[in-house]
């Protein structure tokens, strides 16, 4: 199976030219590379970044209703109509802004209804978080969701951040797998770079959610290349 590498650009870059240039460099650098890559830019750049044959476009969040009187929100259906394929939910930075696991669960269900692939971040309370997400999902849909083990302390912008060790990631994957069908994809997220990606793949990750390293085209391209098992 091809690795899946998802770029979370967060609230970067600050203008659409830089966003376009970054995406263009990544698409060029990944020509012929046998990895699936998803770029998740801020909403305002989504429409301008067209997906290519192995670089998909995703969003960093969306609402749980498809249309209506919800000021400031963006719906899964709108993203789908723009050409998005993936959407990230449950990121610890959103939780700090008030997103609860119940909200993440509703968003996950709405994204599936719009045929988007939900990429759901799971932190330290693996069982509790996963059970709340899974209870509203039909068994046939569970393997459509991509779960990411992303402990908050591993995110590069945290003070004293360090990536999880492959052993720690493996222990987390084991807990996650016990709640999921065998066909579900698990990713690792938290300070991943081109040098340590291989260890996470060997520990059982199908790929990674990448923050800081996704803003440097060459580093990100190398990371995607190094995720391929030879
Ligand atoms: C993230 O916040 O989703 C993330 C993976 O960030 P970083 O790679 O910068 O730790």
């Amino acid at each position: 199976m091809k690795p899946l590498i998802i770029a979370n650009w967060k609230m970067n870059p600050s203008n659409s030219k830089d966003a376009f240039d970054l995406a263009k460099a990544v698409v060029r650098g990944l020509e012929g590379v046998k990895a699936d890559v998803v770029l998740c830019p801020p909403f305002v750049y989504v429409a301008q970044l067209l997906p290519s044959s192995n670089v998909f476009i995703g969003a960093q969040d969306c609402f749980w209703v498809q249309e209506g009187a919800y000021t400031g929100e963006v719906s899964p259906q709108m993203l789908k109509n723009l050409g998005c394929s993936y959407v990230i939910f449950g990121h610890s930075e959103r939780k700090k802004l008030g997103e609860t696991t119940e909200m993440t669960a509703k968003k996950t269900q709405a994204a599936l209804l719009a045929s988007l692939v939900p990429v759901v971040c799971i932190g330290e309370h693996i069982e509790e978080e996963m059970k709340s997400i899974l209870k509203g999902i039909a068994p046939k849909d569970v393997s459509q969701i991509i779960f990411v083990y992303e402990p908050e302390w591993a995110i590069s912008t945290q003070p004293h951040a360090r990536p999880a060790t492959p052993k720690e990631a493996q222990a987390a994957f084991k807990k996650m797998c016990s709640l999921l069908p065998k066909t579900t994809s698990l990713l690792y997220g938290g300070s991943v770079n081109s040098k340590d990606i291989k260890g996470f793949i060997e520990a059982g990750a199908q790929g990674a959610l990448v923050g800081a390293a996704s803003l440097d085209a060459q580093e990100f391209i190398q990371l995607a290349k190094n995720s391929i098992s030879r």
Side-chain angles (χ1 to χ4, degrees):
M1 211 194 309
K2 280 199 229 172
L4 176 64
I5 306 295
I6 304 181
N8 177 9
W9 286 2
K10 309 194 182 187
M11 204 169 67
N12 300 293
S14 63
N15 65 73
S16 60
K17 182 183 181 305
D18 289 353
F20 186 75
D21 289 349
L22 176 57
K24 198 164 80 180
V26 169
V27 169
R28 279 212 183 130
L30 289 173
E31 265 167 33
V33 174
K34 292 197 174 5
D36 284 330
V37 169
V38 184
L39 301 182
C40 299
F43 284 135
V44 288
Y45 305 139
V46 165
Q48 113 193 37
L49 303 183
L50 294 177
S52 68
S53 59
N54 63 337
V55 179
F56 301 90
I57 301 299
Q60 299 171 19
D61 186 32
C62 69
F63 197 51
W64 57 77
V65 178
Q66 307 296 348
E67 193 174 14
Y70 300 97
T71 303
E73 297 292 352
V74 169
S75 82
Q77 194 57 57
M78 290 173 184
L79 294 173
K80 183 71 188 175
N81 292 344
L82 278 178
C84 268
S85 313
Y86 293 78
V87 55
I88 301 170
F89 293 128
H91 195 283
S92 57
E93 287 158 12
R94 294 218 57 82
K95 287 183 180 151
K96 278 193 209 143
L97 294 172
E99 177 152 330
T100 62
T101 313
E102 288 67 33
M103 288 157 81
T104 304
K106 288 204 275 183
K107 291 177 176 189
T108 304
Q109 292 165 35
L112 286 168
L113 269 181
S115 303
L116 291 171
V117 177
V119 178
V120 179
C121 301
I122 300 293
E124 281 309 277
H125 306 286
I126 294 176
E127 284 224 333
E128 196 184 311
E129 290 176 43
M130 291 205 35
K131 282 184 177 161
S132 334
I133 306 288
L134 290 172
K135 79 175 173 225
I137 309 290
K140 69 170 181 33
D141 291 335
V142 174
S143 58
Q144 318 265 348
I145 304 172
I146 290 168
F147 286 95
V148 188
Y149 172 57
E150 183 166 86
E152 190 182 348
W153 48 260
I155 294 177
S156 65
T157 46
Q158 288 293 307
H160 316 295
R162 67 155 178 95
T165 62
K167 218 171 163 187
E168 286 167 332
Q170 198 168 37
F173 293 151
K174 197 171 166 198
K175 281 190 201 157
M176 293 164 86
C177 279
S178 70
L179 302 166
L180 293 168
K182 280 197 174 54
T183 45
T184 317
S185 297
L186 299 179
L187 307 186
Y188 168 74
S191 301
V192 190
N193 59 44
S194 61
K195 295 189 181 67
D196 62 13
I197 180 69
K198 217 164 195 88
F200 295 110
I201 302 287
E202 284 163 7
Q206 198 212 318
L209 178 61
V210 185
S214 72
L215 295 171
D216 174 335
Q218 293 318 312
E219 167 65 5
F220 184 65
I221 292 162
Q222 196 56 50
L223 189 159
K225 288 181 177 170
N226 291 353
S227 69
I228 301 166
S229 327
R230 273 172 263 269

